[in-house]
Amino acid sequence: MHIDLTGRTALVTGSTQGIGAAITKELARAGARVAVNGRGEQRVEEAVDRLTREVPGADLVPAVADVSTEEGAGRLAEVLPQVDILVNNLGVFGSADPLEIDDAEWRRYFEVNVLAAVRLTRMYLPSMTERGWGRVQYIASDSAVVVPAEMIHYGMTKTSLLAVSRGFAKKAAGTGVTVNSVIAGPTRTGGVEDFVYGLVDRSLPWEQAQRVFMREYRPQSLLQRLIEPEEIAHMVVYLSSPQASATTGGALRVDGGYVDAILP
Ligand SMILES: NC(=O)c1ccc[n+]([C@@H]2O[C@H](COP(=O)([O-])OP(=O)(O)OC[C@H]3O[C@@H](n4cnc5c(N)ncnc54)[C@H](OP(=O)(O)O)[C@@H]3O)[C@@H](O)[C@H]2O)c1
């Protein structure tokens, strides 16, 4: 299968590092023009430079905006009035005793992980349906279906995204726009390295720390290793492609078999 996204414009939220950066790289490799989003000018510029080295000739648009705020979404609308592919990748995560998570933290998780994606969908979906083609995706997590006791607030946001995704897919029914979620499993990113070291002995070298983390906190993984960000990105590129035209309203798993279920 040859995926060609030439002529398509994509926005990947939270894409200066980690899974977002890998998705940006792979969409650019498939020929799309891709907006690189983060909160600070310097980190966005660095990401654009790095991605341009990785994908020579990539057409990248710097999009500096804190998309967890209305003002940030407004700034994006100025830089990118319309997109063909919207990948709602931004998400914060951390561990906390569920009885210690206060109202402000619950709200922050909802606003960053769910409301930001809903706002951008509201902003970009109408012009996609008018043009009769579009791709909207939400990066969910295994925590949406297997809620870890130390991440209830995070799990809540990812379960919400599955509902949001299914609902917007119905809104887009019959228009040529597809809407899906990707259920990512434990993936090797900078954010996750910090998270792992929050749970296991900080003095352990990374390879050992990773094994201890998988054994003690993610024993259900059939992959028995962290997923590489590019492995998530390949699913996103496929869902963004014309070839994926019959896949909508779904939740596709790239979780290393972590969720013990036949269907998501
Ligand atoms: N990593 C995993 O194991 C894993 C597993 C399942 C699902 N996921 C999901 O995958 C997604 C990406 O995770 P990740 O591990 O790659 O994240 P990460 O390494 O922590 O990266 C977060 C990215 O988001 C940007 N960002 C943070 N707040 C922002 C804001 N308000 N507005 C715009 N950009 C913002 C950061 O850029 P700046 O700092 O430059 O602003 C950075 O590029 C998340 O939704 C996460 O829940 C991750």
Side-chain angles (χ1 to χ4, degrees), residues 16-17 19 39 43 66-67 89 154 158 184-185 187 189 192:
T16 60
Q17 66 175 48
I19 294 171
R39 290 161 295 183
R43 276 181 50 83
D66 178 345
V67 297
N89 165 73
Y154 174 70
K158 295 298 178 179
T187 305
T189 63
V192 157

Side-chain angles (χ1 to χ4, degrees), residues 168-236:
F168 277 118
K170 289 181 178 172
K171 174 65 188 164
T175 63
V177 178
T178 67
V179 184
N180 291 289
S181 297
V182 173
I183 298 182
T187 305
R188 191 173 64 86
T189 63
V192 157
E193 286 185 21
D194 294 342
F195 177 74
V196 167
Y197 278 120
L199 291 170
V200 309
D201 184 351
R202 278 193 179 272
S203 66
L204 291 176
W206 170 245
E207 278 310 314
Q208 207 178 332
Q210 170 184 185
R211 277 198 300 276
V212 171
F213 170 74
M214 294 302 287
R215 192 175 62 236
E216 292 185 6
Y217 292 92
R218 300 292 183 267
Q220 310 91 314
S221 166
L222 303 182
L223 202 59
Q224 293 283 300
R225 64 164 170 80
L226 288 171
I227 297 161
E228 293 298 321
E230 286 74 15
E231 294 178 297
I232 311 290
H234 293 151
M235 175 65 88
V236 173

Side-chain angles (χ1 to χ4, degrees), residues 13 19 88-94 106 109-110 112-115 117 137-148 151-166 181-184 251:
T13 62
I19 294 171
N88 292 292
N89 165 73
L90 170 63
V92 289
F93 47 91
W106 278 102
Y109 267 76
F110 178 76
V112 177
N113 290 9
V114 183
L115 191 53
Q137 295 175 51
Y138 303 87
I139 304 303
S141 160
D142 53 81
S143 300
V145 268
V146 185
V147 180
M151 298 178 84
I152 296 181
H153 52 343
Y154 174 70
M156 171 277 293
T157 65
K158 295 298 178 179
T159 314
S160 300
L161 284 183
L162 300 186
V164 164
S165 171
R166 180 73 192 165
S181 297
V182 173
I183 298 182

